[in-house]
Amino acid sequence: MSSNTRTLGLAVAQMGPVHLADSREAVVHRLMEMMREAKSRGSEFVVYPELALTTFFPRYWMSEKEAQERFFEVSMPGPATQPLFDLARELQVGFYLGYAELTPEGKPYNTAIIVDRTGRITGKYRKIHLPGHSDHKTEAPFQHLEKKFFDVGDLGFRVFDTDNIHMGMCLCNDRRWPETYRVMALQSAEVVVLGYNTPSQNIHWNEPVHLRTTTHLISLQASAYQNGIWVAAAGKCGSEDGFHMIGSSVIVAPTGEIVARALTEEDEVICVKADLSLGEFFREHVFNFAKHRRPEHYKLITERTGAGEALA
Ligand code: CDV
């Protein structure tokens, strides 16, 4: 960002499928190609998907041990990802990356990081809203085992000052929950970045396919507007070994308008020059939190998890 103009060259690098047989090195090569393209189109920050380095492995039944050995990173950067960090430094481009993290203590998380333009990790997030199940659904065409393979994130929804931008982040299912964005907007987030893997078929209930994209977009658009923030969402999409996931990666302005949208279900870079002052208008007027919020009437949001009796 150039500090006097308050703009950010913001890119989303949507990914086409990553198959079980694809190596980390091959995936990182694709990420680097897209970083080069984003840079050539004026971008200063690139958003990659959730679990970007591997196939969306929670669809497969296996032991935790097998999942961790095949799909988790024990260091970041590691040998396969170091070239991406080196390129970021060379091109002076920051990025957000989702990956499966295994901590030195053996704790598994669905994690995302923000890396600044010097290639330094400036922020980390561990997914809080974990969808799916932990049991084996033998009748289902595929599994959604995030509750089996990951612990609930322990870092909260934080905002990081990276290259002079107040940037928050979340992962996939988090994007559907209004609390996610409001907690970050209350920390003066200007931009929220996220990655996702959204199967086109919902194994839990019958949802028409078109709604998968509709609910994805309305969540992002409403949240951008209601918090006066830019939202950039990168999907991993297309058919991974026969399992299809939605595309429609987007960049949404604080007006709630989609200003860039991926057209394909392949590797595709979309970018905008994001005017960060656009959000100020909303934060000073209709969503002036300090003037208009009434937290004394929102207590149930933190006191209750599920819906219950009406207040007496
Ligand atoms: N990776 C995800 O968190 N996916 C969820 C689906 C499966 C409910 C999503 O919200 O897109």
Side-chain angles (χ1 to χ4, degrees), residues 50 56 127 131 144 146 172-173 175-176 197-199 212:
E50 174 190 43
F56 188 60
K127 189 172 179 179
H144 195 110
E146 289 197 59
C172 198
N173 192 256
R175 77 195 188 284
R176 304 181 191 274
N197 287 269
T198 298
R212 304 294 277 164

Side-chain angles (χ1 to χ4, degrees), residues 66-79:
E66 181 182 352
Q68 290 171 11
E69 283 171 4
R70 289 181 69 180
F71 300 112
F72 282 64
E73 310 300 314
V74 292
S75 60
M76 187 56 65

Side-chain angles (χ1 to χ4, degrees), residues 102-123:
L102 189 64
T103 70
E105 298 76 32
K107 286 188 165 291
Y109 295 107
N110 189 343
T111 294
I113 48 169
I114 288 173
V115 177
D116 73 8
R117 291 178 210 159
T118 67
R120 190 172 59 95
I121 296 175
T122 52

Side-chain angles (χ1 to χ4, degrees), residues 76-231:
M76 187 56 65
T81 43
Q82 185 64 54
L84 184 66
F85 285 70
D86 294 343
L87 186 65
R89 188 167 46 248
E90 180 193 323
L91 298 180
Q92 291 285 291
V93 170
F95 66 92
Y96 159 106
L97 179 74
Y99 64 100
E101 175 193 17
L102 189 64
T103 70
E105 298 76 32
K107 286 188 165 291
Y109 295 107
N110 189 343
T111 294
I113 48 169
I114 288 173
V115 177
D116 73 8
R117 291 178 210 159
T118 67
R120 190 172 59 95
I121 296 175
T122 52
K124 180 181 272 194
Y125 169 72
R126 292 173 174 151
K127 189 172 179 179
I128 288 173
H129 298 103
L130 293 174
H133 51 98
S134 53
D135 57 320
H136 190 186
K137 302 212 174 294
T138 51
E139 306 299 317
F142 59 89
Q143 311 294 304
H144 195 110
L145 295 165
E146 289 197 59
K147 286 195 191 299
K148 175 177 170 70
F149 293 141
F150 302 117
D151 287 0
V152 173
D154 60 351
L155 300 176
F157 294 108
R158 293 174 55 202
V159 171
F160 303 91
D161 191 355
T162 188
D163 294 315
N164 295 320
I165 311 280
H166 291 151
M167 196 176 281
M169 61 180 146
C170 63
L171 277 159
C172 198
N173 192 256
D174 292 319
R175 77 195 188 284
R176 304 181 191 274
W177 299 88
E179 296 87 347
T180 298
Y181 305 86
R182 184 50 55 88
V183 168
M184 292 191 274
L186 285 168
Q187 298 167 72
S188 305
E190 298 172 291
V191 181
V192 168
V193 293
L194 64 102
Y196 62 93
N197 287 269
T198 298
S200 307
Q201 190 191 352
N202 191 324
I203 60 165
H204 302 296
W205 57 88
N206 269 346
E207 188 180 42
V209 171
H210 77 276
L211 279 186
R212 304 294 277 164
T213 302
T214 303
T215 57
H216 155 68
L217 295 176
I218 59 172
S219 300
L220 301 173
Q221 291 182 257
S223 302
Y225 164 64
Q226 289 169 349
N227 294 286
I229 51 175
W230 286 86
V231 176

